């Protein structure tokens, strides 16, 4: 939405595949002397001008990142200070008193925002199971917005976005898809009928656990304009440095995701037959309840997140986490380094997951090193 600030961007070839677009989109036009990377301005104010006067109006680095994310998802991108700032902006699209259909398996921070709005009487909430497509669509009758995650945090439930978006549209509701776990390389929800895609670029897009940033990519330019105005007026702007780093992270998303995903699939397979693991949730496993939907809805892979339920007590689970030496016991996900945490320690997640469920974000380390660490720590915890 800061096109007016952004020097002519590089023309993209419509035939390029998404992984090529991640490398090329958002670069300055290829003219003699042009830099390879977009400029980044560290300035809170500008010499008086009609388009930009102040840091909240726009930034060259946002423009480049938004051009890239917009090209990937096929919509109008607006970036925010974090995934939750983007969520707050998107939630403002619901008219006062309007109804939001919210998936019961949703990042607890997103749930917290909508619960707070409902408690204030700002919106009405209908909570539905994301794997019950018929129930989601039925709940969208008379609603303003349907919010689903695909792939959902932390149980890795995969919503049937094409069917939900079509049903919600027929009922007059817009569909928002938090595609943080899927990334634009595994799912393009706007092409599947959704109206807004949310990315916590803090995660896989940034990819290095060194920034927070969120993005909303809208089918309708009017929604994007409303979100840009919300960002301006409420101040949840992304930093210039974070925007620059997120775009740099995006350049390597395809290779990082391919590697992390193939390790995730292998680890999920091995963990499934581990004596100290009760259940593995991974939509890529043939026996996983999400597998059929995931095969239809996702494109080219099943993501780099694996959730495992340890076959023991909470104390044994915590002992497993404390014995890991390579995988770090920490929150967050999507970085080059593998992270794991027990999700029921969050009250919001305790309501929907078992006490020993651990969410593993698989990084790009050697898969045999990861396996050796997980296997050794599991056996030691039960030793
Ligand atoms: C699926 C999902 N959506 C949104 C967010 C919020 O993103 P941020 O931490 O950048 O606010 C998270 C954070 O973990 C997440 O996992």
């Amino acid at each position: 939405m800061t096109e007016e600030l952004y020097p002519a961007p590089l023309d993209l070839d419509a035939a390029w595949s998404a992984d090529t677009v991640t490398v090329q989109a958002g670069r300055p036009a290829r003219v003699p002397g042009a830099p390879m990377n977009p400029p980044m301005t560290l300035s809170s104010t500008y010499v008086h001008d009609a388009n930009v006067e102040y840091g909240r109006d726009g930034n060259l680095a946002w423009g480049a990142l938004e051009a890239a994310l917009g090209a990937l998802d096929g919509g109008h991108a607006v970036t925010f200070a974090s995934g939750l700032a983007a969520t707050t902006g998107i939630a403002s699209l619901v008219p006062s008193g309007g109804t939001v259909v919210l998936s019961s398996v949703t990042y607890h921070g997103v749930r917290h925002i909508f619960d707070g709005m409902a408690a204030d009487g700002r919106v009405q909430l209908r909570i539905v199971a994301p794997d019950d497509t018929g129930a989601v669509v039925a709940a969208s009758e008379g609603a303003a917005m349907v919010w689903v995650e695909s792939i959902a945090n932390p149980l890795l439930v995969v919503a049937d976005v094409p069917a939900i978006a079509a049903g919600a549209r027929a009922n007059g509701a817009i569909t928002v898809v938090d595609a943080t776990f899927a990334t634009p390389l595994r799912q393009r929800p706007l092409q599947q009928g959704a109206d807004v895609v949310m990315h916590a670029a803090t995660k896989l897009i940034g990819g290095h656990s060194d920034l927070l940033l969120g993005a909303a990519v809208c089918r309708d330019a009017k929604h994007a304009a409303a979100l840009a105005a919300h960002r301006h007026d409420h101040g949840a702007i992304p930093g210039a440095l974070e925007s620059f780093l997120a775009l740099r992270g995006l350049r390597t998303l395809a290779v990082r995701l391919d590697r992390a995903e193939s390790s995730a699939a292998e680890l999920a397979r091995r963990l499934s037959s581990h004596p100290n693991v009760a259940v593995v949730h991974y939509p890529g496993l043939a026996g996983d309840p999400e597998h059929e939907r995931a095969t239809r809805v996702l494109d080219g892979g099943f993501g780099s997140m694996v959730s495992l339920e340890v076959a023991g007590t909470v104390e044994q689970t915590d002992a497993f986490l404390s014995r890991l030496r390579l995988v770090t016991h920490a929150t967050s996900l999507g970085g080059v380094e593998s992270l794991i945490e027990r999700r029921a320690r969050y009250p919001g997640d305790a309501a929907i997951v078992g006490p020993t469920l651990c969410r593993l974000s698989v990084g790009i380390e050697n898969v045999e090193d990861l396996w050796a660490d997980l296997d050794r720590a599991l056996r030691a915890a039960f030793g």
Side-chain angles (χ1 to χ4, degrees), residues 51 91 101 170 179 215 328:
N51 286 325
V101 177
T328 305

Side-chain angles (χ1 to χ4, degrees), residues 21-268:
V21 175
T22 60
V23 177
Q24 294 296 341
R27 293 192 187 278
R30 204 171 287 167
V31 295
M36 189 57 64
N37 293 304
M40 183 188 71
T41 317
L42 292 175
S43 187
S44 61
T45 191
Y46 299 83
V47 177
H48 179 73
D49 175 77
N51 286 325
V52 60
E53 282 202 287
Y54 190 54
R56 256 187 298 110
D57 301 338
N59 186 291
L60 291 167
W62 308 352
L65 179 61
E66 288 173 355
L69 294 176
L72 276 168
D73 269 319
H76 309 272
V78 183
T79 49
F80 287 86
S82 67
L84 286 191
T87 303
T88 305
I90 297 166
S92 76
L93 297 175
V94 180
S96 207
T99 296
V100 176
V101 177
L102 184 62
S103 160
S104 56
V105 186
T106 305
Y107 170 56
H108 62 82
V110 170
R111 174 72 188 260
H112 190 66
I113 287 174
F114 283 110
D115 278 346
M117 291 172 74
D120 291 345
R122 166 77 179 74
V123 299
Q124 319 242 14
L125 273 189
R126 291 177 191 156
I127 307 296
V128 285
D131 47 354
D132 188 345
T133 307
V136 180
V137 171
S140 71
E141 178 93 51
M145 179 182 285
V146 174
W147 182 292
V148 290
E149 273 178 34
S150 179
I151 310 153
N153 187 359
L155 282 168
L156 311 183
V157 178
V158 178
D160 190 341
V161 172
I164 290 172
R169 183 174 300 276
N171 283 336
I174 64 167
T175 299
V176 182
V177 178
D178 179 341
T180 297
F181 284 19
T183 86
L185 295 183
R186 294 294 175 259
Q187 188 175 23
R188 298 179 75 212
L190 299 188
Q191 317 308 310
Q192 298 180 335
D195 298 279
V196 183
V197 187
M198 202 286 274
H199 296 291
T202 308
K203 315 298 179 186
L204 278 145
I205 290 176
H208 296 77
S209 306
D210 55 4
L211 62 91
L212 277 90
L213 195 137
V217 190
C218 308
R219 167 193 299 282
D220 186 338
K222 284 204 234 68
H223 285 152
L227 294 183
H230 184 278
R231 170 181 66 182
H232 178 272
D233 298 347
H234 291 77
I237 56 166
L241 179 60
E242 282 80 357
S243 304
F244 184 91
L245 288 174
L247 184 57
R248 191 164 73 164
L250 184 70
R251 302 297 185 218
T252 55
L253 177 62
V255 284
R256 285 186 287 106
L257 183 59
D258 281 353
R259 163 89 166 197
E261 196 170 52
S262 86
S263 298
E266 182 58 25
L267 294 174

